[in-house]
Amino acid sequence: MIVCKFGGSSVAEAKQIQKVKSIIDADPDRQIVIVSAPGKRNKDDEKVTDMLYNCNSMVQQGQSCRELFKKVANRYTNILSELGMAQKPFLPILDEVRQMIDAGHGAEYAASRGEYLCARMVAAYFGWTFLDTDPLIVIKDDGTVHEDTYTNLKKVLKKGEKYIVPGFYGCSTEGKVKTFSRGGSDITGAILSHAADADIYENWTDVSGVFSVDPRLVKDAKVIKTMTYREVRELAGVGAGVFHEEAIAPVIAAKIPINVKNTNAPMDDGTMIVGSREIDGHPLAGVSAKSGYSRLTLRKLMLFKSTGIRHALLTMLHIFGVRPSFSMFGVDSIVWFFESTQASESVLNAMCIRIKSEFSLDSIEVDHGHAVVGIVGAGVMQETDLIAKSTTALAEAKIKLNFYNYGSSDTSILLGVHASQAQDAVKCLYHALFE
């Protein structure tokens, strides 16, 4: 049994949905389909989810979203017409969604309706059963999946039944509509794969698999044929955007392989994501970078002589809304990298003043404009010359290295560079290590 997830580009317009139906019809084992909200039809287009967020913003400002929602409704009614389906049965559903947004049901409700409406439409087009994820998928406050989710789904999923399921959302433990982070339809697909005990989870997008480097940066970037769960998790963690990094967790325990495939080229093999792979002369999987980090540097003589100092400092950071993504420790210093959007400059200034005072630090500094580059591969620890090759490549390209983290993971090496040099760093490392 195969579970399939189709991303926003795969359901952006009628001709794409027709491709989806052809793919599903080609294999009777494809029995559960998760859909995203319609994405961009071209580079100047607007995603339905973005329009829905804007609808909610208008309501929060005391205005009706009626006029803006017409653009959302038109996307769906146009698709229905082009698919040869009647619009009339769908109009009350669209109007109910608009009324709920106008009634102030919030950003998560508004954003989730893109997937909800798409799934209702595709279910009608296929003649399959629509299965709503609210209230079946329960999402905890920290964004992780509540264990009740799998019990709920196993109760309703019937063997042999064919389902269309909206991605991206479920409900909170209080029963309100709650979304995953953007791209969370991948997570929904993984959850359904686990609950249905699928043999394979197919993740359909607009590229033929996971690339070893961003093809927008390197013209002849190659698709990775096979990679491990850990490799895709760590590659996604440093910016590779084909597969949501949190979508790995539900399938690991069940050992369900993931096949990332291209809706526009369904015969391409794509990328298989599995538990383990043979190195076979291919120790590395890919290289990627993620920008938008700030650096917090703390120094104090004999810093670590104080028991529990790191925990106490982290607790203080959390009070100010700062949650570090990467950590480094010196003899008398700590360096934390965190996403710059987590706190404003005024909040960071207040945080630094309080931390320096309460912990009697010698110094505390915050600076911005950082990026983290990841070299990812199951065989990174086996390559004796990897450090030399990578640092030499960066030095020759005149790229300043702010940190080099080797050994904390046996699947990836992390390098810190200035955000302005992140793309150049990725390109030079790819040429040095993968060609």
Side-chain angles (χ1 to χ4, degrees), residues 5 18 22 46 50 58 70 147 152 157 207 230 253 272 278 280 293 315-316 322 337-338 342 346 363 402 410 423:
K5 174 261 174 179
Q18 288 168 339
S22 295
E46 196 170 3
D50 291 334
M58 291 187 69
K70 285 181 181 178
E147 51 272 14
N152 296 341
L157 292 173
V207 291
R230 290 188 61 186
M272 286 298 300
E278 296 294 329
D280 287 338
Y293 289 104
T315 299
M316 185 63 71
V322 173
F337 288 86
F338 61 93
Q342 290 181 347
S346 59
S363 66
N402 293 325
D410 61 5
Q423 291 188 353

Side-chain angles (χ1 to χ4, degrees), residues 79-305:
I79 292 172
L80 287 166
S81 294
E82 291 169 11
L83 291 173
M85 299 173 66
Q87 295 182 9
K88 191 173 180 180
F90 211 69
L91 297 179
I93 301 171
L94 286 164
D95 194 50
E96 180 187 12
V97 168
R98 197 271 307 161
Q99 290 180 38
M100 294 287 277
I101 296 173
D102 259 341
H105 280 253
E108 292 190 87
Y109 173 82
S112 73
R113 295 305 88 179
E115 278 76 9
Y116 170 80
L117 292 169
C118 188
R120 291 289 299 264
M121 178 176 64
V122 173
Y125 180 56
F126 279 32
W128 287 19
T129 301
F130 167 74
L131 183 68
D132 201 353
T133 51
D134 171 22
L136 300 174
I137 294 179
V138 183
I139 305 172
K140 294 189 283 189
D141 291 342
D142 62 2
T144 58
V145 183
H146 195 284
E147 51 272 14
D148 287 351
T149 293
Y150 298 104
T151 304
N152 296 341
L153 287 168
K154 286 179 185 296
K155 284 180 181 178
V156 299
L157 292 173
K158 297 176 182 176
K159 193 170 183 179
E161 187 82 14
K162 296 187 174 183
Y163 298 97
I164 304 294
V165 184
F168 185 41
Y169 72 92
C171 68
S172 68
T173 51
E174 288 77 38
K176 294 182 179 179
V177 171
K178 186 173 178 60
T179 59
F180 292 111
S181 57
R182 290 297 289 263
S185 293
D186 288 348
I187 305 174
T188 308
I191 291 168
L192 265 295
S193 297
H194 184 154
D197 195 23
D199 296 296
I200 192 166
Y201 169 28
E202 292 181 343
N203 191 281
W204 293 83
T205 179
D206 54 3
V207 291
S208 294
V210 181
F211 284 88
S212 53
V213 67
D214 189 336
R216 294 169 296 185
L217 298 180
V218 178
K219 183 180 178 181
D220 298 320
K222 294 179 176 60
V223 171
I224 305 166
K225 291 183 178 181
T226 305
M227 61 192 307
T228 67
Y229 298 130
R230 290 188 61 186
E231 285 176 323
V232 75
R233 167 77 174 88
E234 300 203 21
L235 199 57
V238 287
V242 173
F243 194 79
H244 198 296
E245 57 185 301
E246 295 173 27
I248 297 296
V251 297
I252 287 180
K255 298 180 179 178
I256 299 168
I258 303 163
N259 194 187
V260 180
K261 292 177 70 68
N262 189 345
T263 303
N264 301 314
M267 300 308 293
D268 290 356
D269 291 337
T271 299
M272 286 298 300
I273 304 171
V274 294
S276 61
R277 68 175 178 90
E278 296 294 329
I279 301 301
D280 287 338
H282 299 283
L284 304 182
V287 57
S288 184
K290 189 174 182 180
S291 299
Y293 289 104
S294 296
R295 177 173 61 185
L296 175 65
T297 306
L298 305 88
R299 295 185 181 87
K300 180 183 178 181
L301 186 66
M302 312 292 280
L303 176 65
F304 297 110
K305 290 293 182 181

Side-chain angles (χ1 to χ4, degrees), residues 212 224-228 230-232 234-235 276-287 374-387 389 406 409-413 429-430 432-435:
S212 53
I224 305 166
K225 291 183 178 181
T226 305
M227 61 192 307
T228 67
R230 290 188 61 186
E231 285 176 323
V232 75
E234 300 203 21
L235 199 57
S276 61
R277 68 175 178 90
E278 296 294 329
I279 301 301
D280 287 338
H282 299 283
L284 304 182
V287 57
I375 302 168
V376 178
V380 292
M381 301 300 287
Q382 300 175 21
E383 296 295 288
T384 55
D385 59 350
L386 197 56
I387 295 175
K389 280 185 176 180
Y406 176 83
S409 166
D410 61 5
T411 309
S412 64
I413 296 168
L429 288 168
Y430 180 81
L433 303 175
F434 289 82
E435 293 185 336

